[in-house]
Amino acid sequence: MNTIPLWFIPLFPLFGAIVLGVISLVSSSSEEGAPEGITGTLAVLFPFLSFISTAVFAWNMPAEGFRETLGSWIDTGWFSINFGFLFDGLSRTMLLFVTGIGSLITLYSVGYMHRDRGFVRFFSYINLFLFSMIVLVLSDSLPFTFLGWEGVGLCSYLLIGFWNADQKNVAAANKAFIVNRVGDLGFLLGMLVLVSIGGSALLSYPELLSLFAGADLSAMVRENIQWFSLAGFLIFFGCTGKSAQIPLLTWLPDAMAGPTPVSALIHAATMVTSGVYLLARLSGMFAVLPDVLFVIALVGLATAFWAAVAGLFQNDIKKLLAYSTISQLGFMFMAVGVAAFDVAIFHVFTHAFFKAALFLGAGAVIHSLSGEQDMRRMGGLLKKLPLTALVLIFGWLAIIGFPGFAGFWSKDLILERLYASAPVTGPVFYGVALLTAIITAVYMTRFVILTLFGKYRGSAETEAHIHESPASMMIPMLILTVGSAFAGFLWAGLIPGADLFKNWLAPVVGAAQAMALEGMHGPHLSPWIFALLGTLAAFLGIFAAWKLFMRPVPQTKEDTVPRGFGGDWTFFFDKLHYYCVLVPVRVLAWICDKAVNPFVMLIQWFIGGIAEILGEGVRSIQARKIRVQVGLSFAGIILVLALAVFCGGI
């Protein structure tokens, strides 16, 4: 038995957000702000205590996990929701790297945000974000998850637009907030459909998934399978917003406007993977919805391929990593779409390490180059920033699936499950996904070539100040680098007893996967073949990029735009949203303003005029004298009696 309650895990970052928020308000009138030493220590301490609490629970957790109800939230008789937490193999896996990597990124931020006037406010937002993310993962019901879901959405808005003196940052924050709210509508409607099927009980994870347990589905599921499919589609649509999948992916590249640690935290290790987590949490329901799973796999495949192609044309170092995040999320959704829920979470885990390392390494480069983000103005940093270069190289090897590194294990497992998912669509999906892996190796190798190799192409003044990051930034980067190299061994089983993921996730998603895989009978090949093809894909991408980009990049004057191809590929979806959503809504609003509203006003005036005329007429027969009123009353009584006598009633 645990001696501490589950709510200790989210309590620490919540308390940190409140304490740091108060300090920020109290020090707002000071020119220098609160001391960075004590506030930075507090900022890191609270997430770290949350990580320690998670580790304690993870160490003592029974195989079936445990559930803790805090109290009643909503209770109207027919609709009842409790505040409750559920700690099992899935939430344990997610929380360990959410709190662990979150603590490392917070420590990194202490050095990165040094001397920023909003130093304390920034860490208040970070702690509030981690609190919301923990609630999202730890909750035992859809409404409570939605509370954390909205919390991370709010915090992403605050952090993306943190440097709000620049209107571009504000616009990016607004875009992220609005696009996510569109997806959240799908989440809400999905919950509404579930309530319409079986009441508020179906909003609780254990009660909902109990309907799908066992070999034979319950009568309620069989009778309402179409409605469950609708709920699945709507919830998945909500996930496309949070996890930046087609069609709601335009916000994530623009979200790079925030400080780089925000990109590492929100867009690598936590928030954007919450959609994958939710689908895995509901694996029991999605396992019996093959049409929904097929759509999830198709959307993931299209998103992964499109974002990988877009990554080829990016010159901004952070936007390139943003598109790579979208592409990797597509791989995760492909895994979910073929009912490989455990592999999807495994890729979430490995991606958290290598993408956080890449983002923090990019942040160190930007920090050293006085804010420069255009890779065409970089180069030669392998010699000038050797430790940072090591971080970027390890992250690069992991994301392209180089043998032995973290991404190699999880990516190849996804490709293997894709191939075996169906006789026809399985090999087709596998072929496109393998091509996407090759493109990934190309644009990520281009990223390494432009930043680390060749000669430095920036200004001489900036070159004179290039330096490695301080220890507060370098230590988290090096820890994440180790994870990028070795995190995959926690699944591979090469080390006896180290295959933790299979043991942790099996009680949560194992039954659902077995049920879904009964209807998936694709071709089977040796895992060694997939490993070989994945390795060839990585080497082919490296070779192609080396031939294409390993050549001198033209030196550019400081006041001119560097030469070289590039572009913002979200413009297509921005245009699609504009012409398919905003323009019709504006036309409808104009019609309502110019036609519907005047018509309603006319009817209102007409009815009001008739009422006024009738009122005047009735008022004209009103008498102020009591004798006349009594006389009219008697006359009315006599009329009623006459009708009753001569007509047999009224």
Side-chain angles (χ1 to χ4, degrees), residues 432-613:
V432 179
L434 188 64
L435 176 61
T436 303
I438 296 173
I439 299 173
T440 301
V442 172
Y443 73 75
M444 288 305 300
T445 304
R446 173 178 178 260
F447 156 78
V448 170
I449 290 172
L450 289 180
T451 54
L452 301 183
F453 293 95
K455 294 182 179 180
Y456 180 70
R457 299 178 295 275
S459 66
E461 181 181 355
T462 302
E463 185 177 12
H465 295 88
I466 294 178
H467 60 281
E468 288 284 13
S469 302
S472 62
M473 296 172 63
M474 190 56 66
I475 291 173
M477 290 164 58
L478 294 176
I479 294 174
L480 292 169
T481 300
V482 174
S484 300
F486 300 111
F489 289 96
L490 295 178
W491 179 288
L494 299 180
I495 303 174
D499 52 345
L500 300 178
F501 275 93
K502 293 180 182 179
N503 298 327
W504 287 7
L505 296 176
V508 184
V509 302
Q513 289 189 173
M515 184 185 302
L517 293 176
E518 288 180 1
M520 297 182 179
H521 304 288
H524 293 277
L525 295 175
S526 169
W528 289 102
I529 295 178
F530 294 104
L532 176 61
L533 292 175
T535 302
L536 288 176
F539 279 103
L540 180 60
I542 294 172
F543 177 77
W546 200 265
K547 285 293 186 181
L548 289 171
F549 306 111
M550 195 59 186
R551 60 187 65 179
V553 178
Q555 188 78 17
T556 305
K557 294 182 179 180
E558 192 170 351
D559 57 347
T560 60
V561 178
R563 285 181 287 174
F565 62 94
D568 185 357
W569 277 52
T570 55
F571 77 92
F572 172 79
F573 288 99
D574 284 332
K575 296 292 184 183
L576 187 67
H577 294 169
Y578 180 78
Y579 288 111
C580 295
V581 179
L582 293 179
V583 170
V585 168
R586 288 178 178 177
V587 171
L588 182 62
W590 183 87
I591 293 173
C592 290
D593 181 51
K594 302 300 182 182
V596 177
N597 188 55
F599 179 71
V600 172
M601 294 294 291
L602 177 63
I603 295 176
Q604 179 184 347
W605 174 82
F606 183 72
I607 296 175
I610 293 175
E612 185 177 357
I613 293 171

Side-chain angles (χ1 to χ4, degrees), residues 143-160:
F144 203 12
T145 293
F146 189 72
L147 190 66
W149 191 275
E150 291 300 287
V152 294
L154 169 64
C155 294
S156 68
Y157 167 78
L158 296 173
L159 289 166
I160 294 168

Side-chain angles (χ1 to χ4, degrees), residues 111-245:
Y112 192 89
M113 299 300 291
H114 176 54
R115 294 184 179 176
D116 192 290
R117 183 58 186 84
F119 186 87
V120 184
R121 177 167 57 92
F122 177 84
F123 287 106
S124 177
Y125 294 163
I126 289 288
N127 275 260
L128 183 61
F129 173 84
L130 288 172
F131 162 75
S132 301
M133 189 67 199
I134 292 170
V135 169
L136 187 157
V137 172
L138 203 55
S139 59
D140 68 344
S141 66
L142 281 165
F144 203 12
T145 293
F146 189 72
L147 190 66
W149 191 275
E150 291 300 287
V152 294
L154 169 64
C155 294
S156 68
Y157 167 78
L158 296 173
L159 289 166
I160 294 168
F162 181 76
W163 288 323
N164 50 36
D166 189 338
Q167 287 300 312
K168 291 183 180 180
N169 297 344
V170 176
N174 289 339
K175 186 176 184 179
F177 191 80
I178 294 169
V179 172
N180 272 274
R181 298 295 75 71
V182 174
D184 293 349
L185 179 62
F187 195 148
L188 286 169
L189 292 175
M191 288 194 289
L192 182 62
V193 172
L194 291 176
V195 171
S196 68
I197 295 172
S200 59
L202 294 191
L203 297 180
S204 173
Y205 294 130
E207 282 74 9
L208 172 63
L209 297 178
S210 66
L211 298 177
F212 303 91
D216 297 325
L217 298 177
S218 66
M220 178 183 289
V221 174
R222 293 195 301 269
E223 294 171 1
N224 296 279
I225 193 66
Q226 293 181 337
W227 290 108
F228 279 111
S229 295
L230 177 60
F233 277 121
L234 290 169
I235 292 173
F236 167 62
F237 181 74
C239 295
T240 64
K242 196 66 70 181
S243 296
Q245 299 293 286

Side-chain angles (χ1 to χ4, degrees), residues 301-371:
L301 181 69
T303 304
F305 179 77
W306 174 86
V309 174
L312 285 170
F313 296 89
Q314 302 307 308
N315 295 315
D316 185 302
I317 189 172
K318 289 175 65 177
K319 281 202 172 185
L320 180 142
L321 294 177
Y323 281 103
S324 75
T325 296
I326 297 174
S327 185
Q328 294 303 307
L329 288 166
F331 274 93
M332 299 170 199
F333 276 89
M334 279 189 271
V336 169
V338 295
F341 302 104
D342 55 353
V343 176
I345 296 299
F346 179 41
H347 198 54
V348 168
F349 178 74
T350 58
H351 176 264
F353 280 98
F354 64 71
K355 186 51 64 66
L358 286 167
F359 265 119
L360 296 188
V365 170
I366 296 169
H367 184 76
S368 179
L369 301 183
S370 303

Side-chain angles (χ1 to χ4, degrees), residues 14-29 33-34 39 42 46 120-125 127:
L14 176 62
F15 188 65
I18 295 172
V19 170
L20 292 168
V22 171
I23 294 175
S24 177
L25 290 174
V26 171
S27 62
S28 60
S29 58
T39 54
L42 292 174
F46 291 115
V120 184
R121 177 167 57 92
F122 177 84
F123 287 106
S124 177
Y125 294 163
N127 275 260

